[in-house]
Amino acid sequence: MENYLNENFSDVKAKNTSEEALQRWRKLCGFVKNRKRRFRFTANLSKRFEAEAIRRSNQEKFRVAVLVSQAALQFIHGLNLSSEYTVPEEVAASGFQICPDELGSIVEGHDIKKLKVHGGVEGIAEKLSTSITDGISTSEHLLNRRKEIYGINKFTESPARGFWVYVWEALHDMTLMILAVCALVSLVVGIATEGWPKGAHDGLGIVMSILLVVFVTATSDYKQSLQFKDLDREKKKITVQVARNGFRRKISIYDLLPGDIVHLCMGDQVPADGLFVSGFSVLINESSLTGESEPVNVNALNPFLLSGTKVQNGSCKMLVTTVGMRTQWGKLMATLSEGGDDETPLQVKLNGVATIIGKIGLFFAVVTFAVMVQGLFTRKLQEGTHWTWSGDDALEILEFFAIAVTIVVVAVPEGLPLAVTLSLAFAMKKMMNDKALVRHLAACETMGSATSICSDKTGTLTTNHMTVLKACICEEIKEVDNSKGTPAFGSSIPASASKLLLQSIFNNTGGEVVIGEGNKTEILGTPTETAILEFGLLLGGDFQAERQASKIVKVEPFNSVKKQMGVVIELPEGGFRVHCKGASEIILAACDKFLNSNGEVVPLNEAAVNHLNETIEKFASEALRTLCLACMEIGNEFSADAPIPTEGYTCIGIVGIKDPMRPGVKESVAICRSAGITVRMVTGDNINTAKAIARECGILTDNGIAIEGPEFREKSDEELSKLIPKIQVMARSSPMDKHTLVKHLRTTLGEVVAVTGDGTNDAPALHEADIGLAMGIAGTEVAKESADVIILDDNFSTIVTVAKWGRSVYINIQKFVQFQLTVNVVALIVNFSSACLTGNAPLTAVQLLWVNMIMDTLGALALATEPPNGDLMKRSPVGRKGNFISNVMWRNILGQSLYQFLIIWYLQTRGKAVFRLDGPDPDLILNTLIFNTFVFCQLQRDGKDKRLQGYTEELCLCSCAHLHRSFSNNNHRAPGYICKYNSSQFATVVC
């Protein structure tokens, strides 16, 4: 079976599966009882094709719009542009001067001419009753008026399906429909021949069983859908920085309104359509909207920003103009929301199992029906009544047919793929409580097979709460006391050096110091930027004063390849100056001067270079992250289009930033090692800093290798194959180094790799990995969108929890498969063999329906939702090539099946003699006893699982009353059983 599954159902991967593969496995699942239920939690390919058509339409539309706007620019200057726009009355009455349709046509159509007619960005802001600096008013009344005119930033979602929809879908089961017809015929024939109520017993029994199956199934599916809805709501919690009432604050993207001023930086998703207000080096990736991979420059000449696109580089302020379903992104998302998640490899594989067993079950059902009918004909032939047929004979044939159909009901394990979904949904909900948000279902099961974790250092292994602990300025190393301030440190620095240092800190930064509500000073930015800005404030600097003293001309944001960022400023006294900061050894290599102890700029001699390098190594060996700050005068002329210089700088100083290791990381790394998972650290830090942290965490061992990115890049594929298994630390790595490492681990070594990332440049590695883990606090929206799981607390210990839950899902599904296949095999063999040898089936249609309901709902709930235990992380991982149905499982399935069959067969052949059943209806009593024995075999087999035991006991109770009545009516007591029963209680059977 495993070979068949691998050949036909292994095309679907955990991620990035082709549409062809998704279509191919569906075609292989030809025998399906209920397509609506079986394929409920799979991708809606037709909706995806529709979304792709929208993307292609957008691409052409925006291409034409750009060409038109470029042509318009050639004629627009010198023209006397007069406004022909008339403000609608309801818009004017609300205090605005432009309607949403006009705004939409400007941005979506890239209409430069219309924008000029309305007075440019400033004119649009005025007509939207907003301020480019302070944003909109937060008055509830004014916000409501704005919502009424312009709408809210939400796209239309398909309404939640109610309980009765799931009941209707459950009724679409083909076998249940056939049984319903059988029940109807049985009722008609039974009442006609035996009268009411005796003749209605069998038919009503089947009807009640069908209704019970339908309602229990619908209830289970409905509750499952509610879980997915809750998780989907969590996935959409995205916040942005906006200015309102003159203060910066974080709000949900769904609360954005036209007129809002949004602050965007690299890695952010543009949350609505809008116009560029100010910013530097902004590159926008529009591939999610148009399919076009080439980034677009956005600036004052091309100010249009479209919802759903990504900031690939730079930072800017944006004026929101259009929100929600008025944007192309809203329309696209409304379609995509119905596309669904890709099915997981386990779902597909178990669909394959269900298909194989379904075909086997159908064969056995047909043969069983044929044998039983043949037995009836033979008996009537022997009795000489083959020419006379009564209503009882018709009912008997109908019962045979119902049994055959019910064999198909039980044999087709429709619950297998759904059990995977149930288990994954349960795990996702629980992981959410453990601070892990699963974006893709497949990540749950894949994480259980992980053999390698490539982890970032900053924020994952460390706390991400950074502070400057030491600094080397003007040849003097000083410790920084963040609790008391640094007056002594600041006073020891020459005034000229201090001025240069503060200018560098407050201008060359991706962060900001703002005054929040309540006049409280807030530092915004990455943890590194926050630490540097806090250091500047402790030195007595004033962020706003420094920013107003000089004009920023060009910004090159931090680049993880270059490991540096730079800014060009125009000085108040004239001339331009470049400030640069980044990886210490890289920036120091670009310097040829430094500040001496008097704060004077002097040539960088060998002694000074050695001193600075020793300082870098000293800081790094103390697990401090080092940054070098440098500057350079570039004369009186500079073009914003010119690149920032790469050499000739003056070293201002070196700072050592402390980022403490997270509590529990060392223990978590040890757990991973005992679980057979190799942990590797991949960081952009200095190699000495990386090694110090890695040893502290327990990642770097005596046999492990620490390597730098540049050295790693020079290795050949053959060398990498030998080297990578030993690599435990990679320092000064670029995003492509990380991608290459992951690719080699997956393809060359066959490992299942999980990768952490928080930045835009981590996206390739997150895509390449089997499981991409994005950091929820420090991560950009690009990283989160590329990831399969978002670690909400940025904690490595949470990653271990995800791995534990992944293993739990895998083991739980294996348990359920073993349980269901055993029941299926026994039910098939018992009824088939009995039909062939005796002409009768001991397990009736109602009994088999009951078994099927317990298996597909309560049994699945019991086994598929078992929480993880500590022993899971003491096992070796399954890995990429492990068989899902293992040899041990086959042994258990076949062994249990044989054991149960022999017991039941013995009862069937010798039961009457053993239990002295010689009264009326001995066959009915024996069959009831056989059914109870069949059920108790399941209870014995899974008795260790208390929850499953409880559900199986329910299965027992419903037939125990019948069993007791049968014995009581015949004045018999089953040996070894004590039966207690009255009309107000369920039966209790005590062995």
Side-chain angles (χ1 to χ4, degrees), residues 206-225:
I206 295 175
V207 169
M208 292 304 295
S209 297
I210 290 171
L211 290 175
L212 192 61
V213 168
V214 165
F215 277 96
V216 171
T217 301
T219 302
S220 175
D221 291 349
Y222 178 63
K223 287 183 177 178
Q224 200 170 326
S225 73

Side-chain angles (χ1 to χ4, degrees), residues 259-323:
D260 266 320
I261 302 298
V262 179
H263 296 257
L264 298 173
C265 59
M266 187 169 69
D268 285 345
Q269 177 175 305
V270 179
D273 284 3
L275 295 168
F276 173 90
V277 176
S278 62
F280 299 95
S281 311
V282 180
L283 277 179
I284 299 293
N285 186 328
E286 296 184 346
S287 59
S288 58
L289 192 61
T290 67
E292 185 62 58
S293 58
E294 191 66 30
V296 177
N297 276 298
V298 173
N299 46 43
L301 296 177
N302 178 35
F304 307 108
L305 290 156
L306 299 171
S307 176
T309 58
K310 312 293 188 307
V311 183
Q312 188 168 311
N313 198 18
S315 60
C316 69
K317 283 203 303 185
M318 178 187 89
L319 169 65
V320 176
T321 58
T322 319
V323 294

Side-chain angles (χ1 to χ4, degrees), residues 21-38:
L22 295 177
Q23 287 178 322
R24 188 158 49 248
W25 81 263
R26 284 167 170 76
K27 292 176 182 176
L28 291 169
C29 294
F31 187 73
V32 178
K33 292 192 299 179
N34 189 343
R35 299 192 75 85
K36 281 182 176 292
R37 189 164 184 254
R38 174 81 79 88

